[in-house]
Amino acid sequence: DALRTALGFKQWIVIGHSYGGFIAQLYAIKYPDTVSQLVLLDTNPATALGNPDGAQLVAKKITPEITAALGKLGTVTDDEEWKQVWYTILPLYFYKYDVPSFIAADKTIYRATGISWAAKNLLAPYGTRPFLGTLAMRTLIGGGRYDWVTTVRKSEIVSKTIPGSALVIFEQ
């Protein structure tokens, strides 16, 4: 909230995607009077929800290479190896995915220690579902039909829990 204050905003629109959606939910719960509108994309209200529908989506696209890469999640310590793991599993998130075009345009700096630490320390204890019903700002929830981690079911849970929110599912 220090950034909002430093910029001189009384309220602002908060947008969060995936893990950023976790942060956006926590911010809106802690500082509801400062959020005029909330946009949550491909996120969910808890890491303990399980993921049976995600497993079904993965089963349609799984390859031996993807299986091997998934087995490395949370354990990779080399930056270049983490980058290759990420490139390998990215198609799981999309209806159609052009891996060569993404790789050619990618300017991301990959840090294996950061993602491994986050997977072990930030995601396991996460949960906002009991508090989402207190949110009163205009809220848009967006989800991708083929996102295997933050599935449509999870977007629907967020939408049903936040009063008056609108839900949009992107088919492709």
Side-chain angles (χ1 to χ4, degrees):
D1 196 49
L3 176 61
R4 180 196 55 80
T5 302
L7 293 172
F9 296 130
K10 181 178 179 194
Q11 288 190 314
W12 59 0
I13 298 169
V14 174
I15 302 171
H17 172 257
S18 192
Y19 184 77
F22 300 173
I23 307 283
Q25 290 173 64
L26 292 169
Y27 181 88
I29 290 164
K30 187 169 183 178
Y31 305 104
D33 295 336
T34 68
V35 180
S36 62
Q37 296 173 54
L38 180 62
V39 180
L40 300 171
L41 303 166
D42 292 312
T43 194
N44 67 72
T47 53
L49 290 176
N51 202 13
D53 37 353
Q56 291 175 359
L57 289 170
V58 168
K60 295 176 184 177
K61 295 183 175 186
I62 201 74
T63 65
E65 295 80 14
I66 291 174
T67 300
L70 289 172
K72 295 178 180 181
L73 290 177
T75 65
V76 177
T77 57
D78 176 76
D79 295 343
E80 187 58 33
E81 185 181 12
W82 165 236
K83 182 178 181 178
Q84 293 309 313
V85 165
W86 183 239
Y87 285 169
T88 303
I89 67 171
L90 269 176
L92 295 176
Y93 291 88
F94 299 93
Y95 174 73
K96 290 182 184 174
Y97 185 70
D98 183 359
V99 176
S101 293
F102 176 82
I103 292 171
D106 188 19
K107 305 291 185 226
T108 305
I109 297 170
Y110 292 85
R111 295 288 183 248
T113 53
I115 195 67
S116 293
W117 183 88
K120 292 174 186 170
N121 297 288
L122 297 179
L123 296 180
Y126 175 78
T128 59
R129 193 172 183 180
F131 310 102
L132 293 177
T134 66
L135 299 179
M137 71 282 298
R138 289 182 57 196
T139 303
L140 174 64
I141 313 297
R145 176 72 60 200
Y146 296 94
D147 189 325
W148 70 287
V149 175
T150 52
T151 61
V152 169
R153 181 177 66 89
K154 293 174 183 178
S155 295
E156 290 170 342
I157 291 169
V158 174
S159 180
K160 289 175 184 173
T161 309
I162 299 176
S165 64
L167 174 64
V168 176
I169 300 300
F170 298 95
E171 295 300 325
Q172 296 183 12

